[in-house]
Structures are given as C-alpha cells and as structure tokens.
C-alpha cells in the first residue's frame, strides 16, 4: 500500500497549548526530542484554564506530598528563570487565614518539610497587610508569590521553538485519534494527519471527550472530571502593589483565593464554585448572583480594593473528585488532565512528569490512572 502523502510521522504529538502542553513541549525538546504541538485556538487564547497574567505560587498544602511537589516545582521555576533570563515568579509571599484545622495542618506540613513560615495574630496580620481582613489562624510563608503566567507559557513555547525541534501549530484542532496498538493516527482540522508512537493529550477540560473512550478501550478509566466555568474578577486596588501578598481564605463557606495582577487590580475568586459547562459551548457570561456574592465577600474581607468595580474573568476548571491530577500513559497515549484549579504552580514539574511518561518512564504513583 502507498503511504498517504497527507500523513507525516512525528516522534511526539502534544495536543494542547495551555500551560501543561507548553511545559511538556519545552521539556521534551530540552531532552532532544522532536515534537509537534497542536492547539485548537490561537497562541495565548482565553478559552481554557491557562490564560491571564498571574497565578498564585504557594507551598501551603496540608498534604506533605504536595508540599514536596511545590519544592520541586520551585527549583524548576528558578532554573527556567535562569535559562530564559526572564522573571517568572514575584516572591510576594503568601498568607493563609481562616479555619484553624486547615491552617494548622498547612503549618504542620510546612514545618515537617523545613519550609520557613510564621504564625500571626489577626491584629498583627491586619497591620502588615491592611488590604485584607483576617479571621481565625493566620500563617505566612515567604517562598510563595505570584507567577507571571502568560509570560511563563510564552517562555516554554519560545524555548521549545528555539531548539529547532518543535513545530507549533495553532488554530488546528485534533478531530480524531485512531489507535493502532503501538502508535496512533491523529487527524487534524486542516485535513492532514500525523502518525506518532507518542501522543500527549494535555487538553485539560477536553480530556474526557478527546481520549476518554480511547483509554476505556485500553481498560483504563479517567476519573470523573468536572468541567466548570469560573468567574473570578479583578478589583481596583487602593494600595500600592507592594501591599499585596497572594492570599487564601479558608472561609466558613467557599474557600477564596486572591492576588494582585499588576496593572489590572487584585484578582479574587471562589475556588471551584462555577456551573458545569461543555468546554466547546460555554457562554463566558457571569452568573449575576455569583458576581454579587463575590462583591459582598470582597467588601467584607478585602478592604484594600473597590468592591463596586469588578472586571470579570471567565475560565475553566477541570476538577477530579479528590483534586489530584491525572498523569498517566496507556500504549502510545499519555494523558494529563484534572489540574483542578491549582495546577499552574507545578507547571515546569508537570512538564517533566509528562515528558518522563512520553519517553517511556514510570508514572508518579499519586497521579496514575
Ligand atoms: C481562574 C483560574 C485561576 C487559577 N488560579 C491558579 C493559581 O492561582 N495557581 C495555580 O497553581 N493554578 C491556578 N489555576 C489552575 C491552572 O491555571 C490550571 O490548572 C492550568 O492552567 C491547567 O492547564 P492545562 O494546560 O491543563 O489546561 P488548558 O489551559 O485548558 O489547556 C488545554 C488546551 O488544550 C486545547 N485543546 C483541547 N482539545 C483540543 C483539540 N481537540 N485539539 C487541539 N487542542 C485542543 C485547548 O484549546 C486548551 O488550550 C487557576 C485556574 C483558573 C481557571
């Protein structure tokens, strides 16, 4: 049989140009691997989970395994900054406050990892960070801060391109994947197809539809990934930029996160409370009652901003039942999904974990299917 002239062969195809796909392409090319990255939308688009100028980096997890992963990620962020000559992490510190059982568990995990941290009274905290109102226990650690997230994705993509080993194809959707056993054929929206022994589906909220059935045919089941449309907002700050740490409020109702995005305001959001949506057919429209609830929260707990003037953001969360990530491989297919609203901080490490699998390594047991 004649080979199909529209089908090329590539060692690795990475589907998804969000932060996980970008970090994977970067890591694979840094290891000398040739990669085709395919993204259905444009470079820097706003349709998934990774857009926007900032994300929180913090080490404050109650689970020691995640604390350890943040330490590994931090070393890799440092290395990426050094390699790219670009500042990607502003070390503003982070503050956690609220429910004592949560904050105490985080303090214990930081202590056992040897990560410096400090407990404060609510009065001490209010004096140090007048933009925030505090309750319950207050804990701060200085290794945290904010990631320049849009810059980070560009750095991953640019460094991958610079090796000459990556081809990046935007506005190109993967329309079908045919599993041949040892390799797959990937059909693209431009009418071409690619055959590869290593397909990485770094497609976030689209994983269940793109690869759920393929994995099932190989006897593996994705956990139920809940796709929601989230609507945090930026609020104009009354205070200088230096007044803002990253913060998490372990509140009695929904948990809340916040951080400054320089030039845009203080971003505040409820964690994972938005409506379930189809990632291909969502309206990007805020739920009015939720905007009001966020404004009421901000008026009470973030006095350093103007709660009356939110600039709304719309983005996707892909949340697994236990908020653990999914990073595993079956045959030629590697899947990375379920980053559950807290994946960005780990991006360079996720690139390593996914690239390990794509090049024949073992899965991290915590994230295996
Ligand atoms: C509002 C918000 C705030 C957050 N805050 C933080 C934070 O402060 N700290 C933190 O650590 N994390 C945070 N997160 C989480 C973090 O941003 C995500 O975990 C991370 O961006 C997930 O990246 P991803 O690459 O898996 O997904 P995505 O960015 O969604 O990328 C998947 C990509 O796959 C593409 N794709 C899908 N199907 C196809 C196809 N068939 N063909 C081609 N391309 C396809 C999509 O277009 C998309 O670009 C936040 C998330 C949100 C939404």
């Amino acid at each position: 049989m004649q080979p199909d002239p529209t089908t090329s062969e590539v060692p690795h195809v990475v589907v998804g140009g969000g932060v996980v796909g970008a970090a994977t392409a970067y890591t694979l090319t840094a290891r000398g691997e040739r990669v085709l990255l395919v993204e259905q939308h444009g470079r820097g688009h706003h349709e998934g989970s990774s857009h926007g100028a900032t994300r929180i980096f913090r080490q404050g997890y109650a689970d020691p395994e995640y604390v350890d992963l943040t330490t590994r990620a931090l070393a890799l962020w440092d290395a990426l900054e050094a390699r790219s000559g670009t500042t990607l992490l502003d070390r503003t510190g982070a503050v956690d406050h609220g429910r004592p059982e949560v904050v105490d568990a985080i303090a214990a995990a930081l202590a056992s990892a040897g990560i410096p941290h400090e407990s404060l009274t609510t009065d001490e905290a209010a004096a140090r960070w007048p933009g925030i109102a505090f309750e319950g226990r207050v804990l701060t650690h200085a290794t945290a801060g904010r990631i320049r997230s849009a810059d980070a994705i560009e750095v991953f993509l640019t460094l991958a391109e610079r090796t000459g080993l990556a081809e990046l194809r935007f506005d190109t959707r993967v329309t079908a994947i045919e599993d041949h056993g040892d390799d797959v054929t990937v059909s693209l929206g431009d009418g071409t197809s690619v055959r590869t022994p290593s397909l990485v589906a770094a497609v976030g909220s689209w994983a269940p539809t793109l690869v759920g059935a393929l994995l099932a045919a190989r006897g593996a089941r994705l956990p139920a990934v809940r796709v929601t449309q989230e609507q945090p907002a930026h609020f104009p700050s009354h205070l200088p930029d230096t007044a803002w740490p990253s913060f998490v409020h372990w509140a009695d109702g929904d948990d809340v996160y916040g951080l400054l995005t320089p030039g845009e305001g203080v971003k505040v959001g409820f964690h994972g409370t938005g409506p379930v949506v189809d990632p291909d057919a969502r309206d990007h429209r805020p739920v009015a009652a939720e905007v009001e609830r966020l404004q009421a929260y901000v008026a009470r707990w973030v006095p350093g901003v103007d709660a009356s003037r939110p600039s709304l953001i719309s983005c996707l969360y892909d949340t697994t039942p236990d908020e653990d990530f999914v990073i595993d491989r079956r045959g030629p297919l590697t899947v990375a999904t379920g980053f559950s609203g807290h994946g960005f901080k780990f991006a360079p490490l996720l690139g390593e974990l996914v690239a390990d699998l794509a090049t024949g390594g073992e899965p991290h047991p915590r994230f295996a299917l």
Side-chain angles (χ1 to χ4, degrees):
M1 200 170 78
Q2 291 293 312
D4 179 348
T6 61
T7 303
S8 51
E9 294 195 10
V10 184
H12 302 277
V13 174
V14 174
V15 191
V19 71
V20 178
T24 302
Y26 161 73
T27 310
L28 283 170
T29 54
R31 295 181 187 181
E33 301 282 330
R34 215 150 57 76
V35 175
L36 169 65
L37 181 142
V38 188
E39 163 57 52
Q40 63 184 346
H41 296 297
R43 193 162 176 152
H45 73 85
H46 284 204
E47 302 300 322
S49 299
S50 298
H51 56 283
T54 56
R55 289 291 186 278
I56 294 175
F57 179 86
R58 51 195 291 281
Q59 300 199 265
Y61 281 81
D63 182 331
E65 198 161 14
Y66 273 101
V67 176
D68 176 55
L69 293 169
T70 65
T71 301
R72 291 171 64 188
L74 184 55
L76 291 167
W77 282 116
D78 287 344
L80 188 63
E81 285 188 319
R83 182 154 178 221
S84 62
T86 310
T87 301
L88 297 173
L89 191 54
D90 294 301
R91 291 174 196 247
T92 61
V95 59
D96 289 77
H97 71 107
R99 297 201 303 279
E101 72 281 9
V102 181
V103 179
D104 289 350
I106 294 170
L110 290 176
S112 69
I115 295 167
H117 58 282
E118 187 188 349
S119 295
L120 292 86
T121 65
T122 50
D123 287 346
E124 288 167 340
R128 198 181 295 184
W129 300 290
I132 304 169
F134 294 94
E135 67 167 349
R137 294 273 206 285
V138 186
L139 173 74
T140 182
H141 65 293
T143 47
R146 80 185 161 242
I147 304 163
R148 300 185 186 185
S149 44
D151 293 352
I153 295 176
E154 264 311 301
V155 160
F156 284 131
L157 295 176
T158 306
L159 292 183
E161 277 175 316
R162 261 192 220 149
T163 61
L165 294 169
E167 182 192 343
L168 313 181
R169 254 190 248 176
F170 294 95
D171 300 306
T172 307
R173 184 174 170 98
V174 169
T175 53
I177 302 167
E178 195 184 342
D179 188 345
H180 307 296
D182 291 337
D183 61 7
V184 294
T185 299
V186 185
S187 302
L188 304 178
D190 61 10
T192 63
S193 56
V194 189
R195 197 155 175 152
T196 181
S198 166
L199 175 79
V200 174
V203 289
S205 302
W206 287 263
T209 44
L210 190 67
V211 294
L214 285 170
L215 288 167
R218 286 180 170 268
R221 224 164 48 113
L222 276 180
V225 176
R226 193 166 171 271
V227 177
T228 54
Q229 178 169 273
E230 302 296 325
Q231 53 176 66
H234 282 113
F235 294 88
S237 169
H238 301 312
L239 300 172
D241 286 4
T242 49
W244 294 104
S246 293
F247 55 96
V248 174
H249 183 185
W250 304 99
D252 274 334
D254 293 314
D255 299 324
V256 179
Y257 63 89
L259 74 165
L260 177 78
T261 304
E264 295 186 62
V266 176
K267 180 161 59 175
V268 184
F270 295 116
H271 179 61
T273 57
V276 170
V277 290
D278 171 349
D280 284 320
R282 66 191 181 99
D283 57 12
H284 301 82
R285 279 209 216 105
V287 177
E290 285 295 285
V291 179
E292 278 170 30
R293 195 164 75 89
L294 185 61
Q295 286 183 270
Y297 173 87
V298 168
R300 164 72 183 85
W301 293 102
V302 195
V305 302
D306 181 350
S308 70
R309 290 196 291 136
S311 302
L312 293 162
I313 301 164
S314 178
C315 74
L316 292 173
Y317 265 30
D318 51 339
T319 307
T320 60
D322 55 8
E323 298 195 8
D324 272 350
F325 312 147
V326 176
I327 307 172
D328 205 351
R329 178 172 182 157
R330 288 293 181 277
L333 178 65
T334 300
V335 63
T337 184
F339 294 102
S340 303
H342 68 123
F344 211 111
K345 65 180 70 61
F346 302 101
L349 176 63
L350 298 175
E352 296 278 339
L353 297 176
V354 178
D356 286 349
L357 286 173
T359 52
E362 292 297 314
H364 188 295
R366 179 80 183 244
F367 306 134
L369 280 163

